[in-house]
PDB file of all heavy atoms in Angstrom:
ATOM      1  N   ALA B 118      27.139   8.935  22.819  1.00 91.00           N
ATOM      2  CA  ALA B 118      28.250   9.838  23.167  1.00 91.00           C
ATOM      3  C   ALA B 118      29.081   9.268  24.309  1.00 91.00           C
ATOM      4  O   ALA B 118      30.274   9.568  24.439  1.00 91.00           O
ATOM      5  CB  ALA B 118      27.697  11.215  23.536  1.00 91.00           C
ATOM      6  N   LEU B 119      28.442   8.440  25.124  1.00 92.00           N
ATOM      7  CA  LEU B 119      29.158   7.811  26.242  1.00 92.00           C
ATOM      8  C   LEU B 119      29.733   6.443  25.855  1.00 92.00           C
ATOM      9  O   LEU B 119      30.249   5.714  26.699  1.00 92.00           O
ATOM     10  CB  LEU B 119      28.192   7.643  27.430  1.00 92.00           C
ATOM     11  CG  LEU B 119      27.705   8.957  28.068  1.00 92.00           C
ATOM     12  CD1 LEU B 119      26.544   8.698  29.030  1.00 92.00           C
ATOM     13  CD2 LEU B 119      28.843   9.662  28.806  1.00 92.00           C
ATOM     14  N   GLY B 120      29.597   6.103  24.568  1.00 90.00           N
ATOM     15  CA  GLY B 120      30.172   4.852  24.084  1.00 90.00           C
ATOM     16  C   GLY B 120      29.304   3.644  24.325  1.00 90.00           C
ATOM     17  O   GLY B 120      29.796   2.506  24.308  1.00 90.00           O
ATOM     18  N   LEU B 121      27.995   3.856  24.506  1.00 90.00           N
ATOM     19  CA  LEU B 121      27.102   2.731  24.785  1.00 90.00           C
ATOM     20  C   LEU B 121      26.262   2.395  23.553  1.00 90.00           C
ATOM     21  O   LEU B 121      25.756   3.295  22.872  1.00 90.00           O
ATOM     22  CB  LEU B 121      26.151   3.083  25.941  1.00 90.00           C
ATOM     23  CG  LEU B 121      26.812   3.405  27.284  1.00 90.00           C
ATOM     24  CD1 LEU B 121      25.767   3.943  28.264  1.00 90.00           C
ATOM     25  CD2 LEU B 121      27.489   2.158  27.858  1.00 90.00           C
ATOM     26  N   THR B 122      26.096   1.113  23.287  1.00 86.00           N
ATOM     27  CA  THR B 122      25.203   0.683  22.214  1.00 86.00           C
ATOM     28  C   THR B 122      23.776   0.611  22.770  1.00 86.00           C
ATOM     29  O   THR B 122      23.579   0.521  23.994  1.00 86.00           O
ATOM     30  CB  THR B 122      25.597  -0.704  21.689  1.00 86.00           C
ATOM     31  OG1 THR B 122      25.360  -1.662  22.741  1.00 86.00           O
ATOM     32  CG2 THR B 122      27.056  -0.754  21.275  1.00 86.00           C
ATOM     33  N   PRO B 123      22.753   0.614  21.879  1.00 81.00           N
ATOM     34  CA  PRO B 123      21.374   0.459  22.358  1.00 81.00           C
ATOM     35  C   PRO B 123      21.180  -0.814  23.185  1.00 81.00           C
ATOM     36  O   PRO B 123      20.423  -0.815  24.159  1.00 81.00           O
ATOM     37  CB  PRO B 123      20.561   0.427  21.063  1.00 81.00           C
ATOM     38  CG  PRO B 123      21.359   1.238  20.103  1.00 81.00           C
ATOM     39  CD  PRO B 123      22.789   0.949  20.435  1.00 81.00           C
ATOM     40  N   VAL B 124      21.852  -1.883  22.806  1.00 82.00           N
ATOM     41  CA  VAL B 124      21.716  -3.133  23.568  1.00 82.00           C
ATOM     42  C   VAL B 124      22.301  -2.972  24.969  1.00 82.00           C
ATOM     43  O   VAL B 124      21.709  -3.411  25.974  1.00 82.00           O
ATOM     44  CB  VAL B 124      22.413  -4.289  22.813  1.00 82.00           C
ATOM     45  CG1 VAL B 124      22.425  -5.564  23.661  1.00 82.00           C
ATOM     46  CG2 VAL B 124      21.719  -4.544  21.482  1.00 82.00           C
ATOM     47  N   GLN B 125      23.452  -2.332  25.055  1.00 89.00           N
ATOM     48  CA  GLN B 125      24.050  -2.084  26.376  1.00 89.00           C
ATOM     49  C   GLN B 125      23.150  -1.184  27.221  1.00 89.00           C
ATOM     50  O   GLN B 125      23.007  -1.388  28.432  1.00 89.00           O
ATOM     51  CB  GLN B 125      25.429  -1.437  26.213  1.00 89.00           C
ATOM     52  CG  GLN B 125      26.493  -2.393  25.677  1.00 89.00           C
ATOM     53  CD  GLN B 125      27.805  -1.679  25.376  1.00 89.00           C
ATOM     54  OE1 GLN B 125      27.821  -0.619  24.761  1.00 89.00           O
ATOM     55  NE2 GLN B 125      28.903  -2.278  25.844  1.00 89.00           N
ATOM     56  N   ILE B 126      22.557  -0.195  26.586  1.00 92.00           N
ATOM     57  CA  ILE B 126      21.640   0.696  27.319  1.00 92.00           C
ATOM     58  C   ILE B 126      20.456  -0.104  27.860  1.00 92.00           C
ATOM     59  O   ILE B 126      20.040   0.070  29.015  1.00 92.00           O
ATOM     60  CB  ILE B 126      21.160   1.848  26.401  1.00 92.00           C
ATOM     61  CG1 ILE B 126      22.342   2.751  26.029  1.00 92.00           C
ATOM     62  CG2 ILE B 126      20.069   2.660  27.097  1.00 92.00           C
ATOM     63  CD1 ILE B 126      22.016   3.787  24.964  1.00 92.00           C
ATOM     64  N   ASN B 127      19.914  -0.995  27.021  1.00 88.00           N
ATOM     65  CA  ASN B 127      18.786  -1.822  27.485  1.00 88.00           C
ATOM     66  C   ASN B 127      19.162  -2.639  28.715  1.00 88.00           C
ATOM     67  O   ASN B 127      18.381  -2.764  29.664  1.00 88.00           O
ATOM     68  CB  ASN B 127      18.333  -2.764  26.369  1.00 88.00           C
ATOM     69  CG  ASN B 127      17.613  -2.039  25.247  1.00 88.00           C
ATOM     70  OD1 ASN B 127      17.180  -0.899  25.414  1.00 88.00           O
ATOM     71  ND2 ASN B 127      17.502  -2.685  24.109  1.00 88.00           N
ATOM     72  N   THR B 128      20.356  -3.214  28.681  1.00 90.00           N
ATOM     73  CA  THR B 128      20.808  -4.037  29.812  1.00 90.00           C
ATOM     74  C   THR B 128      20.945  -3.188  31.073  1.00 90.00           C
ATOM     75  O   THR B 128      20.490  -3.575  32.160  1.00 90.00           O
ATOM     76  CB  THR B 128      22.157  -4.689  29.469  1.00 90.00           C
ATOM     77  OG1 THR B 128      22.005  -5.437  28.263  1.00 90.00           O
ATOM     78  CG2 THR B 128      22.620  -5.613  30.575  1.00 90.00           C
ATOM     79  N   MET B 129      21.562  -2.025  30.909  1.00 93.00           N
ATOM     80  CA  MET B 129      21.714  -1.122  32.059  1.00 93.00           C
ATOM     81  C   MET B 129      20.349  -0.668  32.581  1.00 93.00           C
ATOM     82  O   MET B 129      20.126  -0.563  33.784  1.00 93.00           O
ATOM     83  CB  MET B 129      22.541   0.107  31.658  1.00 93.00           C
ATOM     84  CG  MET B 129      24.027  -0.209  31.430  1.00 93.00           C
ATOM     85  SD  MET B 129      24.931   1.197  30.709  1.00 93.00           S
ATOM     86  CE  MET B 129      24.626   2.473  31.934  1.00 93.00           C
TER      87      MET B 129
END
Side-chain angles (χ1 to χ4, degrees):
Chain B
L119 294 168
L121 299 171
T122 67
V124 173
Q125 289 173 314
I126 294 171
N127 288 344
T128 304
M129 289 171 58

